[in-house]
Amino acid sequence: MSTIQIAIEFLGTFAFAISGIRWAAAKNFDWFGGYVVGLATAIGGGTIRDVMLGVTPFWMTNSIYLICTAAALLTVIVFKKVIVRFTNTWFLFDTLGLALFTVAGMQKTLYEGFPFWVAIIMGCITGAAGGVIRDVLINEVPLIFRKEIYAMACILGGVAYYVCQAVGLNVEITVVVSFSVVVIVRLMAVRLHISLPHLHDDNGTD
C-alpha cells in the first residue's frame, strides 16, 4: 500500500506540475513564476489534506516532490514547441493529476483510520484544491466553480473506490477502477459539454 501510494503521489505531482506550468507559460510567467505555480498546483491539495488529517504534509518529509516539479519545468522548457502544438496537453495532464491525486488522497485518509465518507472528501480536496490554487495564482476564476465536471469526477471516483473495496477487490484493481472512473467522467463531460446547472442572481443573469 505504501509503495503504491508513493508511486501515485509522484506521478500525480509530475502531472499536476506540468498542468500548472503550462498555464503559467500561457500567462507569460518567468521560469521562477512557472515553478511556483507548478509546485502550488502539485502539492496544494495534498497539503490541505494532510493539515486536515493532522499529519505532516507529504512534501515536507521528502524533497522528491520539489525535484519532480523542477523536472516538470525542465520538460516544459525543453519540449515547449511540442507541448504547444498539442492544445489539449494541459487538459490531459490536469485530468491525470486529478485522478491520481484523488486516489492518493483516499488511500492516505483510509490509512490514517478515517471512515470512507471522509476519505471521499479528502480525495476530492487532494485532487481539486491544487487546481483552485493554480487558478487563483494566475488570476483566473477557479475552473472547479465555473464549468465542466471537475470535483464531481473526484467524488464519483471515490465512490467507485468504496464499491470496489466493499466487494472485496484487491488494492491494485481498486486503484485502476477508481482512476479510470475519474478520467472517463472528466473526459466524457468535456467531450459532451456536460456541466452542473449554474446559479442565477435576482436579475436572472449568470
Side-chain angles (χ1 to χ4, degrees), residues 10 13-14 35 39 62-73:
F10 180 83
T13 298
F14 187 80
Y35 181 83
L39 183 63
N62 193 338
S63 62
I64 190 63
Y65 300 102
L66 305 181
I67 297 172
C68 182
T69 302
L73 175 63

Side-chain angles (χ1 to χ4, degrees), residues 9 13 39 43 46-51 55-66 108:
E9 288 197 341
T13 298
L39 183 63
I43 71 172
T47 301
I48 295 173
R49 172 204 65 207
D50 288 349
V51 170
V55 299
T56 303
F58 66 102
W59 58 271
M60 296 179 69
T61 60
N62 193 338
S63 62
I64 190 63
Y65 300 102
L66 305 181
K108 189 163 190 177

Side-chain angles (χ1 to χ4, degrees), residues 90-112:
W90 70 267
F91 171 73
L92 173 63
F93 280 107
D94 188 65
T95 300
L96 292 176
L98 183 72
L100 288 165
F101 270 18
T102 296
V103 174
M106 288 202 63
Q107 287 187 316
K108 189 163 190 177
T109 305
L110 293 172
Y111 178 78
E112 293 295 329

Side-chain angles (χ1 to χ4, degrees), residues 14 19 49 54 63 89 111 126 135 155 178 185 187 199-200 203:
F14 187 80
S19 169
R49 172 204 65 207
S63 62
T89 299
Y111 178 78
T126 308
D135 292 343
I155 294 173
S178 181
V185 168
L187 290 177
L199 292 172
H200 299 275
N203 295 320

Side-chain angles (χ1 to χ4, degrees), residues 12-194:
T13 298
F14 187 80
F16 258 16
I18 287 283
S19 169
I21 294 167
R22 183 70 186 90
W23 273 110
K27 292 285 186 174
N28 295 317
F29 283 27
D30 62 19
W31 288 8
F32 179 74
Y35 181 83
V36 170
V37 174
L39 183 63
T41 306
I43 71 172
T47 301
I48 295 173
R49 172 204 65 207
D50 288 349
V51 170
M52 294 182 71
L53 294 179
V55 299
T56 303
F58 66 102
W59 58 271
M60 296 179 69
T61 60
N62 193 338
S63 62
I64 190 63
Y65 300 102
L66 305 181
I67 297 172
C68 182
T69 302
L73 175 63
L74 183 62
T75 299
V76 172
I77 293 172
V78 173
F79 299 103
K80 177 181 178 181
K81 293 183 178 179
V82 176
I83 293 176
V84 170
R85 192 175 302 138
F86 298 97
T87 57
N88 290 327
T89 299
W90 70 267
F91 171 73
L92 173 63
F93 280 107
D94 188 65
T95 300
L96 292 176
L98 183 72
L100 288 165
F101 270 18
T102 296
V103 174
M106 288 202 63
Q107 287 187 316
K108 189 163 190 177
T109 305
L110 293 172
Y111 178 78
E112 293 295 329
F114 289 88
F116 248 107
W117 65 272
V118 176
I120 292 174
I121 294 173
M122 290 298 108
C124 183
I125 290 175
T126 308
V132 174
I133 296 172
R134 174 201 65 208
D135 292 343
V136 170
L137 289 175
I138 64 173
N139 198 30
E140 293 282 349
V141 177
L143 180 68
I144 188 177
F145 300 140
R146 55 189 170 90
K147 65 178 181 179
E148 301 176 5
I149 299 296
Y150 199 83
M152 285 302 300
C154 300
I155 294 173
L156 292 175
V159 171
Y161 194 107
Y162 170 75
V163 172
C164 289
Q165 290 287 280
V167 299
L169 296 180
N170 62 38
V171 174
E172 290 78 9
I173 295 177
T174 298
V175 166
V176 171
V177 171
S178 181
F179 172 86
S180 299
V181 168
V182 177
V183 172
I184 291 172
V185 168
R186 180 138 161 74
L187 290 177
M188 292 303 294
V190 172
R191 183 175 180 82
L192 299 177
H193 305 289
I194 300 172

